[in-house]
Amino acid sequence: MSAALTEILAGLRLPEKMISPKYLYDERGSQLFDEITHLPEYYPTETELGITMDNMPEICDLIGKRASLIEYGSGSSRKTRALLDSLQQQAVYVPVDISEDHLLLSAEKIRSEHPGLEVLPVVADFTRPFDLPDPTIMPLRNIVYFPGSTIGNFTNDVAQELLGFMYQEAGTDGALLIGVDLQKDPAIIERAYNDSAGVTAQFNLNMLTHLNREIGFDFDVSSFTHSAHYDTDEGRMEIRLISEKSQVVTIGDEHIEFDDGESILTEYSHKYTLEGFAKMAELAGFAVRKVWTDADELFSVQYCVRP
Ligand code: AVJ
Protein backbone atom coordinates (compact mmCIF):
# COMPACT_ATOMS: atom_id res chain seq x y z
CA MET A 1 0.00 0.00 0.00
CA SER A 2 1.41 3.41 -0.94
CA ALA A 3 2.28 5.94 1.79
CA ALA A 4 -0.38 8.27 0.37
CA LEU A 5 -3.09 5.60 0.52
CA THR A 6 -2.11 4.63 4.09
CA GLU A 7 -2.34 8.28 5.15
CA ILE A 8 -5.67 8.88 3.40
CA LEU A 9 -7.26 5.70 4.80
CA ALA A 10 -6.11 6.62 8.33
CA GLY A 11 -7.83 10.01 7.92
CA LEU A 12 -11.02 8.40 6.59
CA ARG A 13 -11.16 6.05 9.62
CA LEU A 14 -11.11 8.87 12.18
CA PRO A 15 -14.37 9.65 14.04
CA GLU A 16 -14.44 12.86 11.99
CA LYS A 17 -13.20 11.93 8.53
CA MET A 18 -10.46 14.12 7.10
CA ILE A 19 -8.09 14.27 4.14
CA SER A 20 -5.03 16.54 4.00
CA PRO A 21 -5.46 19.73 1.92
CA LYS A 22 -2.30 18.82 0.00
CA TYR A 23 -4.48 16.49 -2.12
CA LEU A 24 -6.37 19.55 -3.40
CA TYR A 25 -3.43 20.41 -5.62
CA ASP A 26 -3.17 18.23 -8.69
CA GLU A 27 -2.80 20.11 -11.98
CA ARG A 28 -6.52 20.91 -12.17
CA GLY A 29 -6.53 21.88 -8.48
CA SER A 30 -3.66 24.33 -8.94
CA GLN A 31 -5.48 25.81 -11.93
CA LEU A 32 -8.71 26.17 -9.91
CA PHE A 33 -6.81 27.76 -7.02
CA ASP A 34 -5.36 30.26 -9.46
CA GLU A 35 -8.94 31.04 -10.56
CA ILE A 36 -9.92 31.49 -6.89
CA THR A 37 -7.23 34.17 -6.47
CA HIS A 38 -8.97 36.21 -9.21
CA LEU A 39 -12.50 35.95 -7.72
CA PRO A 40 -14.08 39.18 -6.49
CA GLU A 41 -15.00 37.55 -3.14
CA TYR A 42 -11.52 36.13 -2.47
CA TYR A 43 -9.87 39.17 -0.85
CA PRO A 44 -6.54 37.66 0.40
CA THR A 45 -4.54 37.61 -2.85
CA GLU A 46 -5.34 41.12 -4.11
CA THR A 47 -5.06 42.58 -0.63
CA GLU A 48 -1.66 41.01 0.03
CA LEU A 49 -0.41 42.11 -3.38
CA GLY A 50 -1.59 45.67 -2.65
CA ILE A 51 0.10 45.72 0.77
CA THR A 52 3.32 44.39 -0.73
CA MET A 53 3.33 46.93 -3.60
CA ASP A 54 2.42 49.86 -1.34
CA ASN A 55 5.31 49.14 1.01
CA MET A 56 7.90 47.75 -1.41
CA PRO A 57 10.67 50.31 -0.71
CA GLU A 58 10.46 49.72 3.03
CA ILE A 59 10.27 45.93 2.62
CA CYS A 60 13.33 45.91 0.38
CA ASP A 61 15.23 48.23 2.75
CA LEU A 62 14.63 45.80 5.60
CA ILE A 63 15.70 42.84 3.46
CA GLY A 64 18.82 44.68 2.34
CA LYS A 65 21.35 43.70 -0.31
CA ARG A 66 22.76 40.25 -1.08
CA ALA A 67 19.80 38.52 0.53
CA SER A 68 18.67 34.99 -0.15
CA LEU A 69 14.88 34.88 -0.51
CA ILE A 70 13.72 31.38 0.44
CA GLU A 71 10.12 30.97 -0.64
CA TYR A 72 8.04 28.19 0.94
CA GLY A 73 6.00 27.19 -2.09
CA SER A 74 6.91 27.23 -5.76
CA GLY A 75 6.49 30.96 -6.25
CA SER A 76 4.60 31.72 -9.41
CA SER A 77 2.63 34.54 -7.78
CA ARG A 78 2.53 38.19 -8.79
CA LYS A 79 3.74 39.16 -5.28
CA THR A 80 6.90 37.11 -5.71
CA ARG A 81 7.65 38.61 -9.12
CA ALA A 82 7.11 42.13 -7.80
CA LEU A 83 9.40 41.42 -4.86
CA LEU A 84 12.12 39.90 -7.07
CA ASP A 85 11.86 42.94 -9.38
CA SER A 86 12.52 45.26 -6.47
CA LEU A 87 15.11 43.38 -4.40
CA GLN A 88 18.50 44.98 -4.06
CA GLN A 89 21.61 43.73 -5.84
CA GLN A 90 23.01 40.22 -5.83
CA ALA A 91 19.91 38.54 -4.48
CA VAL A 92 19.43 34.80 -4.57
CA TYR A 93 15.99 33.18 -4.96
CA VAL A 94 15.35 29.73 -3.48
CA PRO A 95 11.83 28.41 -4.18
CA VAL A 96 11.06 25.28 -2.12
CA ASP A 97 8.30 22.90 -3.21
CA ILE A 98 7.50 19.21 -3.09
CA SER A 99 6.09 19.11 -6.63
CA GLU A 100 9.23 18.93 -8.80
CA ASP A 101 7.71 19.51 -12.25
CA HIS A 102 5.81 22.59 -11.19
CA LEU A 103 8.80 23.93 -9.23
CA LEU A 104 11.34 23.55 -12.05
CA LEU A 105 8.99 25.07 -14.62
CA SER A 106 8.28 28.09 -12.47
CA ALA A 107 12.01 28.46 -11.56
CA GLU A 108 12.88 28.49 -15.27
CA LYS A 109 10.28 31.16 -15.91
CA ILE A 110 11.57 33.34 -13.06
CA ARG A 111 15.16 32.87 -14.30
CA SER A 112 14.26 34.08 -17.78
CA GLU A 113 12.41 37.08 -16.39
CA HIS A 114 15.19 38.07 -13.98
CA PRO A 115 18.56 37.83 -15.67
CA GLY A 116 21.33 38.21 -13.09
CA LEU A 117 19.24 36.67 -10.32
CA GLU A 118 20.60 33.36 -9.05
CA VAL A 119 17.63 30.94 -8.89
CA LEU A 120 18.22 27.73 -6.89
CA PRO A 121 15.04 25.61 -6.62
CA VAL A 122 14.92 23.00 -3.85
CA VAL A 123 12.64 19.96 -4.11
CA ALA A 124 11.59 19.39 -0.51
CA ASP A 125 8.65 19.15 1.86
CA PHE A 126 8.92 22.43 3.73
CA THR A 127 6.91 21.11 6.68
CA ARG A 128 10.16 19.48 7.85
CA PRO A 129 13.76 20.78 7.99
CA PHE A 130 15.65 20.71 4.65
CA ASP A 131 19.15 21.65 3.43
CA LEU A 132 19.74 24.98 1.71
CA PRO A 133 21.77 25.15 -1.53
CA ASP A 134 25.11 27.00 -1.76
CA PRO A 135 24.81 30.18 -3.83
CA THR A 136 27.81 31.42 -5.86
CA ILE A 137 28.10 34.46 -3.62
CA MET A 138 27.54 33.96 0.10
CA PRO A 139 24.31 35.82 1.03
CA LEU A 140 24.31 38.34 3.88
CA ARG A 141 21.03 37.02 5.23
CA ASN A 142 18.30 34.49 4.61
CA ILE A 143 14.75 35.76 4.29
CA VAL A 144 12.15 33.03 4.62
CA TYR A 145 9.20 34.16 2.47
CA PHE A 146 5.84 32.52 3.20
CA PRO A 147 3.08 34.48 1.44
CA GLY A 148 -0.63 33.78 0.96
CA SER A 149 -1.43 33.01 4.61
CA THR A 150 -0.72 29.38 3.77
CA ILE A 151 0.34 29.12 7.45
CA GLY A 152 -3.44 29.14 8.11
CA ASN A 153 -3.84 25.67 6.57
CA PHE A 154 -2.05 24.16 9.56
CA THR A 155 -3.44 23.54 13.03
CA ASN A 156 -1.90 25.82 15.66
CA ASP A 157 0.46 23.08 16.93
CA VAL A 158 1.80 22.33 13.47
CA ALA A 159 1.97 26.03 12.52
CA GLN A 160 3.99 26.63 15.70
CA GLU A 161 6.40 23.84 14.77
CA LEU A 162 6.68 25.18 11.22
CA LEU A 163 7.57 28.66 12.50
CA GLY A 164 10.30 26.98 14.56
CA PHE A 165 11.74 25.33 11.42
CA MET A 166 11.63 28.70 9.63
CA TYR A 167 13.56 30.23 12.51
CA GLN A 168 16.25 27.57 11.99
CA GLU A 169 16.30 28.04 8.20
CA ALA A 170 16.58 31.83 8.58
CA GLY A 171 19.77 31.43 10.63
CA THR A 172 21.79 34.25 12.17
CA ASP A 173 20.64 37.71 10.98
CA GLY A 174 17.81 36.02 9.08
CA ALA A 175 14.17 37.06 8.98
CA LEU A 176 10.70 35.85 8.05
CA LEU A 177 8.45 37.76 5.63
CA ILE A 178 5.00 36.24 5.97
CA GLY A 179 1.43 36.87 4.77
CA VAL A 180 -1.06 36.49 7.63
CA ASP A 181 -4.83 36.71 7.11
CA LEU A 182 -6.66 38.56 9.90
CA GLN A 183 -9.83 37.92 11.90
CA LYS A 184 -12.67 40.15 10.74
CA ASP A 185 -16.41 40.18 10.09
CA PRO A 186 -17.19 36.46 9.55
CA ALA A 187 -19.50 37.35 6.62
CA ILE A 188 -16.52 38.68 4.63
CA ILE A 189 -14.50 35.56 5.37
CA GLU A 190 -17.31 33.10 4.58
CA ARG A 191 -18.05 34.83 1.29
CA ALA A 192 -14.43 34.32 0.22
CA TYR A 193 -14.88 30.52 0.48
CA ASN A 194 -18.45 30.37 -0.90
CA ASP A 195 -18.02 32.34 -4.14
CA SER A 196 -21.05 32.87 -6.36
CA ALA A 197 -19.34 31.33 -9.40
CA GLY A 198 -18.82 28.09 -7.45
CA VAL A 199 -15.09 27.87 -8.18
CA THR A 200 -14.21 27.07 -4.56
CA ALA A 201 -16.77 24.24 -4.61
CA GLN A 202 -15.15 22.83 -7.77
CA PHE A 203 -11.71 23.19 -6.18
CA ASN A 204 -12.85 21.27 -3.11
CA LEU A 205 -14.69 18.54 -5.08
CA ASN A 206 -11.73 18.12 -7.42
CA MET A 207 -9.93 16.47 -4.50
CA LEU A 208 -12.16 13.41 -4.96
CA THR A 209 -11.61 13.33 -8.74
CA HIS A 210 -7.88 13.51 -8.05
CA LEU A 211 -8.02 10.64 -5.52
CA ASN A 212 -10.10 8.50 -7.91
CA ARG A 213 -7.56 8.97 -10.70
CA GLU A 214 -4.28 8.86 -8.77
CA ILE A 215 -5.02 6.49 -5.89
CA GLY A 216 -7.88 4.40 -7.32
CA PHE A 217 -10.82 5.34 -5.10
CA ASP A 218 -14.34 5.17 -6.53
CA PHE A 219 -15.85 8.32 -4.99
CA ASP A 220 -19.14 9.25 -6.67
CA VAL A 221 -18.14 12.92 -6.92
CA SER A 222 -21.66 14.08 -7.84
CA SER A 223 -23.00 12.82 -4.49
CA PHE A 224 -20.78 15.17 -2.46
CA THR A 225 -21.23 18.91 -1.92
CA HIS A 226 -18.99 21.76 -0.76
CA SER A 227 -19.38 23.28 2.70
CA ALA A 228 -17.38 26.18 4.18
CA HIS A 229 -18.11 27.72 7.60
CA TYR A 230 -16.23 30.13 9.85
CA ASP A 231 -15.82 28.92 13.43
CA THR A 232 -15.57 32.13 15.47
CA ASP A 233 -14.21 30.41 18.61
CA GLU A 234 -11.41 28.68 16.70
CA GLY A 235 -10.85 31.65 14.38
CA ARG A 236 -10.83 29.48 11.30
CA MET A 237 -12.65 28.51 8.14
CA GLU A 238 -13.54 24.83 8.15
CA ILE A 239 -14.00 23.42 4.68
CA ARG A 240 -15.67 20.10 4.15
CA LEU A 241 -17.17 17.76 1.57
CA ILE A 242 -20.60 16.46 2.57
CA SER A 243 -21.92 13.09 1.46
CA GLU A 244 -25.51 13.71 0.30
CA LYS A 245 -26.48 10.05 0.69
CA SER A 246 -25.46 7.02 2.68
CA GLN A 247 -22.89 5.17 0.61
CA VAL A 248 -19.79 2.99 0.62
CA VAL A 249 -16.57 4.11 -1.06
CA THR A 250 -14.19 1.33 -2.09
CA ILE A 251 -10.51 1.01 -2.85
CA GLY A 252 -9.12 -2.51 -3.31
CA ASP A 253 -10.40 -4.55 -0.36
CA GLU A 254 -11.03 -1.46 1.75
CA HIS A 255 -14.52 -0.04 2.32
CA ILE A 256 -15.36 3.33 3.80
CA GLU A 257 -18.94 3.90 4.94
CA PHE A 258 -20.61 7.29 4.79
CA ASP A 259 -23.88 8.22 6.51
CA ASP A 260 -26.21 10.62 4.71
CA GLY A 261 -24.88 14.08 5.64
CA GLU A 262 -21.51 12.83 6.91
CA SER A 263 -18.54 15.04 6.08
CA ILE A 264 -14.86 14.88 5.21
CA LEU A 265 -12.81 17.80 6.55
CA THR A 266 -10.56 18.88 3.67
CA GLU A 267 -9.11 22.19 4.83
CA TYR A 268 -8.70 24.65 7.68
CA SER A 269 -7.90 28.27 6.95
CA HIS A 270 -6.97 29.96 10.22
CA LYS A 271 -7.37 33.72 10.62
CA TYR A 272 -5.29 35.51 13.26
CA THR A 273 -5.33 38.55 15.49
CA LEU A 274 -2.14 40.61 15.42
CA GLU A 275 -1.55 39.71 19.09
CA GLY A 276 -2.24 36.02 18.46
CA PHE A 277 0.21 35.79 15.59
CA ALA A 278 2.87 37.79 17.48
CA LYS A 279 2.64 35.28 20.34
CA MET A 280 3.19 32.34 17.96
CA ALA A 281 6.12 34.10 16.27
CA GLU A 282 7.68 34.85 19.68
CA LEU A 283 7.27 31.27 20.87
CA ALA A 284 9.26 30.25 17.78
CA GLY A 285 12.03 32.71 18.70
CA PHE A 286 11.09 35.57 16.35
CA ALA A 287 10.25 39.16 17.21
CA VAL A 288 7.69 40.92 14.97
CA ARG A 289 9.63 43.91 13.69
CA LYS A 290 7.06 45.39 11.30
CA VAL A 291 3.40 44.78 10.38
CA TRP A 292 1.87 46.23 7.21
CA THR A 293 -1.89 46.02 6.62
CA ASP A 294 -4.45 47.40 4.16
CA ALA A 295 -6.74 50.26 5.23
CA ASP A 296 -9.54 47.83 6.22
CA GLU A 297 -7.15 45.55 8.14
CA LEU A 298 -8.28 42.53 6.16
CA PHE A 299 -4.78 41.07 5.76
CA SER A 300 -1.25 41.62 7.02
CA VAL A 301 2.30 41.21 5.80
CA GLN A 302 4.73 40.82 8.68
CA TYR A 303 8.50 41.04 8.99
CA CYS A 304 9.81 38.92 11.87
CA VAL A 305 13.45 38.99 12.91
CA ARG A 306 15.68 36.85 15.10
CA PRO A 307 16.23 39.20 18.06
C1 AVJ B 1 -3.77 28.59 -0.12
C2 AVJ B 1 -4.36 27.81 2.03
C3 AVJ B 1 -4.01 30.14 1.68
O1 AVJ B 1 -6.79 29.12 2.93
O2 AVJ B 1 -7.39 30.79 1.68
C4 AVJ B 1 -8.71 29.16 -0.87
C5 AVJ B 1 -6.66 27.92 0.13
N1 AVJ B 1 -9.06 27.19 -0.10
N2 AVJ B 1 -10.01 28.86 -1.05
C6 AVJ B 1 -6.80 29.73 1.86
C7 AVJ B 1 -8.11 28.11 -0.26
C8 AVJ B 1 -10.22 27.67 -0.59
C9 AVJ B 1 -5.99 29.14 0.68
N3 AVJ B 1 -4.55 28.91 1.06
Side-chain angles (χ1 to χ4, degrees), residues 25 33 36 42 148-150 153 193 200 203 239 267-269 271:
Y25 298 93
F33 179 67
I36 287 173
Y42 191 74
S149 202
T150 301
N153 253 185
Y193 297 85
T200 309
F203 172 69
I239 301 166
E267 203 181 21
Y268 286 135
S269 188
K271 311 302 171 190

Side-chain angles (χ1 to χ4, degrees), residues 226-280:
H226 167 73
S227 147
H229 288 293
Y230 186 67
D231 183 320
T232 317
D233 295 334
E234 299 285 352
R236 68 187 180 205
M237 281 304 301
E238 298 186 350
I239 301 166
R240 296 183 169 84
L241 290 166
I242 315 284
S243 174
E244 296 296 339
K245 61 178 191 195
S246 88
Q247 58 182 317
V248 178
V249 171
T250 302
I251 180 163
D253 300 335
E254 314 283 339
H255 302 282
I256 317 288
E257 290 178 26
F258 285 84
D259 293 333
D260 185 2
E262 192 175 350
S263 66
I264 310 171
L265 177 71
T266 52
E267 203 181 21
Y268 286 135
S269 188
H270 289 78
K271 311 302 171 190
Y272 304 89
T273 61
L274 293 177
E275 305 74 49
F277 184 77
K279 205 164 279 168
M280 287 177 70

Side-chain angles (χ1 to χ4, degrees), residues 209-231:
T209 310
H210 175 201
L211 295 182
N212 285 350
R213 187 190 61 240
E214 292 298 322
I215 315 280
F217 281 95
D218 66 349
F219 284 104
D220 171 13
V221 181
S222 66
S223 70
F224 286 84
T225 53
H226 167 73
S227 147
H229 288 293
Y230 186 67
D231 183 320

Side-chain angles (χ1 to χ4, degrees), residues 59 63 66-72 79-81 83-84 87 90-96 117-120 132 139 141-146 175-177 303:
I59 292 171
I63 292 176
R66 267 177 64 192
S68 178
L69 190 77
I70 303 159
E71 177 162 359
Y72 282 33
K79 303 164 276 232
T80 302
R81 276 122 191 263
L83 195 55
L84 292 174
L87 274 188
Q90 293 175 313
V92 181
Y93 177 55
V94 182
V96 183
L117 178 73
E118 188 165 17
V119 181
L120 300 171
L132 289 171
R141 70 171 58 79
N142 291 333
I143 309 292
V144 171
Y145 183 45
F146 197 32
L176 166 66
L177 181 65
Y303 191 77

Side-chain angles (χ1 to χ4, degrees), residues 1-11 23 215-217 251-252 254:
M1 196 181 287
S2 74
L5 177 55
T6 306
E7 178 191 43
I8 295 162
L9 282 176
Y23 297 106
I215 315 280
F217 281 95
I251 180 163
E254 314 283 339

